């Protein structure tokens, strides 16, 4: 980049385009994907695009971008695309570009899967309002009884010729989450929950087989916690069904690939963990019609592509991609794949090609970022105080090196805790992008402490019942290394995070006064409240904090790991940001921390964004978040540019 590089404005961050939902055609020739702006303005909107998988021609926009377009799926003949918009299923023909609605249900479509015969689509849809629903709405008789009239998405088989939808009654009132057909056109695997509520449904997932001709249902029994991505494959004469789920016994830990041999009759065989003992963590599992499944694995700071070997039922590494890759999709033969991938210097775009070869970028959604002079990003490896090797990333201001330090350092903690930082372009708006702060003159530390994804199950499960313990010292050990190496100025340290990262920021200021500013985004201040109201449910939240509160009169384990319990110690100014309609971490968490800080006279600011959930999506709110967070740290830490100016002035004097 040259000195004439374009200035990074908040508008460029929120108005840039982001690709979503790539899906490669069964014949491997085309890749469809969705493009949306990062910030929402005037309602959700996106556009459907298609690109040549070989990158030999420019991508084409297929829809006008004025309405929201959901994840597309290909017809078996690769000639049409199906997608949901306006809560209805639509079909777009590639030969003439025509679009037609194939459903008109008042209940709406929650999910779908085109079947192998080309004439049927499996649709998960909510029942249309009945007379009692209409009466209750008209009369305002809307008292909510928990567990009653939950409106699950139920499975229907839609005949495209006559538009008749046949309800699969054998599933009862179970909520259909995913449907996938056996590659030979045989039965459907249906992953279902007991009800639509995540806090109970995802822990009570069950698998079923459905005959698409007769609608006959066969119960395969329960699946693991957070089960997803059911995938068929064949070994000799036996059909197998694999899926992703959390490694038992608890709800806190790494994901694994589980597998069952599907019987012709009777109960299935045991669920076997095909990835037990692996240091990497499977994140996605994809069916290959004429082969064995492909899977993406979080592998430290990188992402690896694996293929299942049917001989010993083990995953073999096909390729490793530096940095981030996700949204894997494969052609019918598995000889072509597409993913969303990025690098430390390039934002995510659609890439396609043979799975074992370098993939070609076939979309270019953010060309404007090449005009910005970005901060330098490097990988970190360091030792925790107990000797465990940890990793993370360090960003330095543009045009600087470590020798220009010490810098004001802001540590951004990721969410999850089962998330991770990868060696990707740090430009996405979760908490202010690391590059947003680096360009302003800050060094930014992105640690992957215990509990993170990408280091195996035991590493992820280390935070069970112990949040704020070793994961906290893993972070401070990394900061200490950067201070000792002359990168970070010990007198100008800041910390921030979103979701679980917001909890860690709130936890940090109650444990030490070394930070001069903190940012708590959608964070937990009291684990008892989180257990009661968080939509992840009591089982998961109490597994992290150590108790739920109804074991007895206390003291409770979760009080010892709740930031609000340490409010009397806090001296660090705290900026609290939260979405008003957040159900993952309710806004009451922010209000409680605000009241505690106010009680003890701690400098802080509480900002609540109306209409927002756990992620801040509206354009005006994103602009406010970016500007407000940078100003918050500027006032209390000062940028590296300001520091150098003061040093020069002092030397001149």
């Amino acid at each position: 980049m040259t000195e004439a590089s374009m200035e990074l404005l908040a508008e460029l961050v929120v108005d840039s385009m982001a690709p979503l939902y790539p899906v490669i055609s069964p014949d491997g020739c085309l890749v469809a994907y969705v493009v949306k702006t990062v910030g929402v303005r005037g309602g959700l909107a996106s556009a459907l695009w298609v690109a040549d998988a070989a990158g030999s021609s420019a991508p084409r926009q297929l829809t006008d971008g004025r309405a929201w377009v959901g994840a597309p799926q290909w017809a078996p003949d690769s000639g049409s695309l199906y997608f949901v918009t306006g809560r209805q299923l639509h079909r777009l023909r590639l030969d003439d570009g025509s679009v037609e609605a194939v459903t008109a249900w008042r209940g709406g479509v929650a999910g779908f899967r085109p079947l192998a015969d080309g004439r049927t689509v499996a649709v998960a849809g909510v029942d249309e309002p009945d007379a009692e629903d209409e009466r209750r709405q008209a009369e305002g008789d809307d008292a909510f009884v928990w567990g009653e009239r939950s409106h699950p998405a139920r499975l229907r088989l839609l005949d495209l010729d006559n538009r008749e939808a046949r309800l699969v009654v054998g599933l009862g009132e179970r909520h259909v989450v995913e449907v996938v057909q056996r590659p030979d056109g045989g039965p459907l695997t249906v992953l279902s929950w007991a009800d639509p509520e995540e806090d109970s449904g995802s822990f009570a997932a069950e698998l079923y087989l459905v005959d698409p001709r007769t609608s006959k249902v066969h119960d395969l029994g329960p699946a693991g916690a957070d089960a997803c991505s059911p995938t068929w494959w064949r070994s000799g004469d036996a059909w197998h069904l694999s899926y992703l789920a959390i490694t038992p016994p608890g709800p806190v830990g790494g994901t694994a690939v589980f597998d069952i041999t599907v019987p012709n009759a009777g109960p299935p065989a045991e669920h076997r963990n095909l990835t037990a003992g692996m240091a990497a963590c499977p994140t996605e599992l994809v069916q290959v019609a004429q082969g064995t499944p492909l899977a993406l694995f979080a592998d430290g700071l990188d992402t690896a592509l694996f293929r299942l070997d049917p001989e010993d039922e083990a995953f073999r590494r096909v390729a490793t991609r530096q940095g981030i890759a996700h949204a894997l999709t494969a052609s019918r033969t598995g000889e072509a794949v597409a993913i969303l991938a990025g690098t430390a210097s390039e934002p995510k775009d659609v890439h396609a090609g043979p799975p074992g070869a370098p993939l070609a970028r076939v979309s270019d959604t953010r060309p404007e970022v090449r005009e910005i002079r970005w901060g330098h990003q490097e990988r970190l490896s360091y030792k925790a105080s107990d000797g465990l090797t940890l990793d993370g990333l360090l960003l330095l201001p543009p045009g600087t090196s470590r020798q220009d330090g010490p810098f004001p350092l802001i540590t951004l903690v990721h969410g999850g805790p089962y998330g991770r930082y990868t060696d990707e372009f740090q430009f996405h708006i979760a908490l202010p992008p690391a590059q947003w702060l680096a360009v302003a003159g800050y060094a930014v530390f992105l640690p992957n402490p215990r509990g993170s994804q990408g280091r195996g199950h035991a590493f992820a499960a280390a935070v069970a019942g112990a949040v704020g313990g070793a994961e906290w010292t893993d972070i401070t050990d990394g900061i200490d290394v950067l201070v000792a190496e002359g990168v970070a100025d010990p007198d100008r340290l800041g910390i921030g995070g979103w979701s679980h990262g917001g909890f860690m920021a709130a936890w940090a200021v109650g444990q030490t006064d070394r930070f001069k500013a903190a940012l708590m985004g959608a964070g937990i201040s009291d684990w008892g409240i989180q257990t009661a109201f968080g939509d992840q449910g009591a089982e998961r939240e109490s597994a992290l904090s150590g108790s739920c509160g109804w074991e007895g009169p206390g003291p409770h384990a979760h009080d010892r790991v709740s930031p609000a319990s340490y409010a009397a110690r806090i001296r660090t100014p705290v900026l609290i940001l939260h979405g008003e309609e957040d159900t993952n971490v309710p806004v009451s968490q922010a209000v409680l921390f605000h009241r505690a800080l106010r009680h003890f006279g701690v400098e802080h600011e509480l900002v609540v964004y109306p209409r927002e959930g756990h992620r801040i999506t509206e354009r005006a709110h994103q602009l406010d978040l970016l500007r407000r967070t940078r100003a918050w740290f500027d006032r209390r830490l000062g940028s590296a540019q300001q520091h150098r100016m003061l040093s020069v002035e002092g030397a001149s004097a």
Side-chain angles (χ1 to χ4, degrees):
M1 294 294 178
T2 67
E3 292 299 329
S5 296
M6 185 170 64
E7 180 185 0
L8 177 59
L9 301 177
E11 286 81 0
L12 186 142
V13 179
V14 304
D15 291 337
S16 63
M17 309 301 290
L20 301 167
Y21 315 133
V23 57
I24 197 165
S25 58
D27 62 13
C29 295
L30 298 171
V31 184
Y33 57 98
V34 173
V35 174
K36 67 173 286 292
T37 56
V38 172
V40 175
R41 177 166 47 181
L44 288 173
S46 58
L48 181 63
W49 287 68
V50 67
D52 182 78
S56 58
S57 60
R60 293 183 292 130
Q61 184 172 336
L62 301 178
T63 62
D64 60 19
R66 292 184 294 181
W68 175 255
V69 174
Q73 293 189 40
W74 288 94
D77 64 0
S78 302
S80 301
L81 281 163
Y82 293 90
F83 59 92
V84 173
T85 186
R87 302 181 66 215
Q88 302 301 327
L89 182 64
H90 290 69
R91 176 169 56 187
L92 184 150
R93 300 181 187 275
L94 262 66
D95 55 1
D96 60 7
S98 62
V99 179
E100 61 174 335
V102 296
T103 64
W105 301 340
R106 286 189 294 160
V109 172
F112 66 96
R113 177 77 64 174
L115 301 189
D117 62 12
R119 304 185 306 274
T120 311
V121 180
V123 178
V126 177
D127 289 347
E128 294 189 329
D130 58 21
E132 176 63 8
D133 291 324
E134 293 175 344
R135 181 199 67 77
R136 286 164 58 91
Q137 182 177 10
E139 298 178 5
D141 182 14
D142 54 0
F144 175 73
V145 180
W146 195 271
E148 291 186 7
R149 306 183 73 83
S150 59
H151 302 294
R154 300 206 288 167
L155 181 62
R156 293 165 171 82
L157 300 176
L158 174 66
D159 187 318
L160 294 171
D161 293 330
N162 58 27
R163 305 298 169 89
E164 292 183 358
R166 173 169 31 108
L167 178 66
V168 178
V169 296
L171 294 172
E173 296 293 318
R174 292 196 66 83
H175 177 65
V176 174
V177 180
E178 291 186 70
V179 178
V180 63
Q181 187 173 28
R182 203 170 72 185
D184 64 351
L188 313 178
T189 297
V190 178
L191 176 65
S192 68
W193 295 352
D195 59 64
E197 299 297 329
E198 184 177 6
D199 67 343
S200 56
S202 63
F203 290 99
E206 292 192 6
L207 291 165
Y208 292 85
L209 296 182
V210 174
D211 188 321
R213 296 166 301 171
T214 65
S215 296
K216 183 179 178 180
V217 175
H218 178 64
D219 188 350
L220 291 179
D226 277 2
C228 65
S229 304
T231 303
W232 288 93
W233 61 281
R234 191 169 187 169
S235 178
D237 294 331
W239 282 102
H240 290 250
L241 187 64
S242 298
Y243 65 92
L244 290 173
I246 297 175
T247 304
V252 176
T255 49
V257 177
F258 295 90
D259 183 81
I260 59 174
T261 302
V262 180
N264 293 323
E270 64 174 330
H271 295 233
R272 295 167 296 120
N273 184 344
L274 302 185
T275 53
M278 293 183 67
C281 299
T283 59
E284 297 180 21
L285 185 66
V286 173
Q287 180 166 299
V288 176
Q290 298 174 11
T292 55
L294 291 168
L296 287 181
F297 281 68
D299 187 13
L301 296 171
D302 297 322
T303 306
L305 177 64
F306 283 71
R307 188 187 299 275
L308 181 64
D309 186 335
E311 295 298 322
D312 57 4
E313 298 183 359
F315 280 91
R316 306 297 180 198
R317 189 181 296 258
V318 176
T320 299
R321 186 173 186 94
Q322 184 172 342
I324 187 67
H326 64 98
L328 175 67
T329 171
S331 66
R332 182 182 292 111
T333 63
E335 296 174 354
V337 298
I339 57 173
L340 290 177
T343 67
S345 57
E346 288 282 338
K348 285 184 289 189
D349 258 310
V350 181
H351 292 67
L359 303 182
R361 179 170 57 80
V362 299
S363 70
D364 190 11
T365 52
R366 298 182 181 183
E368 69 277 4
V369 303
R370 300 189 184 99
E371 302 300 319
I372 302 294
R373 193 181 190 202
W374 298 103
H376 171 70
Q377 182 169 307
E378 66 176 79
R379 295 178 173 221
L380 294 178
S381 178
Y382 64 96
K383 294 286 188 180
S385 53
D386 62 0
L388 182 67
T389 299
L390 301 167
D391 62 42
L393 298 170
L394 173 68
L395 281 76
L396 298 178
T400 68
S401 67
R402 283 172 169 252
Q403 286 66 42
D404 296 308
F407 301 94
L409 178 78
I410 299 174
T411 298
L412 296 180
V413 187
H414 65 64
Y418 192 56
R420 66 166 178 151
Y421 285 116
T422 66
D423 197 4
E424 64 175 311
F425 188 57
Q426 303 296 332
F427 191 57
H428 42 76
I429 185 158
L431 184 64
Q435 284 286 5
W436 173 251
L437 296 172
V439 169
Y442 295 99
V444 184
F445 174 40
L446 307 176
N448 286 320
R450 264 165 271 215
S452 300
Q453 184 185 64
R455 300 284 298 278
H457 168 63
F459 188 83
V463 295
V467 290
E471 64 170 334
W472 163 237
T473 56
D474 287 349
I475 295 168
T476 58
D477 288 341
I479 296 172
D480 292 341
V481 168
L482 294 175
V483 169
E485 292 177 348
V487 175
D489 183 341
D491 295 323
R492 294 189 298 158
L493 299 177
I495 191 167
W498 200 268
S499 193
H500 190 80
F503 154 72
M504 289 303 300
W507 177 258
V509 296
Q511 307 305 307
T512 178
D513 60 1
R514 70 187 303 191
F515 298 105
K516 298 301 183 287
L519 168 56
M520 175 193 183
I524 295 165
S525 61
D526 185 282
W527 284 97
I529 291 177
Q530 187 64 18
T531 298
F533 297 106
D535 64 14
Q536 295 291 308
E539 185 173 358
R540 191 190 315 272
E541 307 294 6
S542 61
L544 285 168
S545 66
S547 64
C548 53
W550 47 71
E551 299 91 349
H556 301 295
H558 70 254
D559 290 326
R560 293 193 294 271
V561 293
S562 292
S565 298
Y566 303 90
R569 300 180 181 176
I570 298 174
R571 300 294 181 268
T572 303
V574 183
L575 173 61
I576 307 170
L577 306 176
H578 218 110
E580 185 178 33
E581 298 180 9
D582 191 345
T583 58
N584 188 309
V585 179
V587 70
S588 55
Q589 296 281 3
V591 175
L592 172 66
F593 207 56
H594 152 69
R595 290 180 174 178
L597 297 181
R598 183 176 61 184
H599 177 80
F600 290 106
V602 180
E603 180 187 358
H604 71 285
E605 186 174 289
L606 171 62
V607 181
V608 176
Y609 295 107
R611 301 175 300 282
E612 299 284 13
H614 196 53
R615 296 288 183 183
I616 305 304
T617 61
E618 293 187 22
R619 181 180 185 273
H621 294 162
Q622 290 182 347
L623 290 172
D624 180 84
L625 184 152
L626 291 171
R627 294 165 179 157
R628 188 180 299 275
T629 53
R630 186 187 278 182
W632 183 261
F633 287 117
D634 282 350
R635 289 196 299 271
R636 291 156 182 85
L637 303 182
S639 68
Q641 288 96 328
Q642 293 170 326
H643 177 62
R644 286 198 294 271
M645 289 175 63
L646 291 173
S647 298
V648 171
E649 291 172 359
S652 299

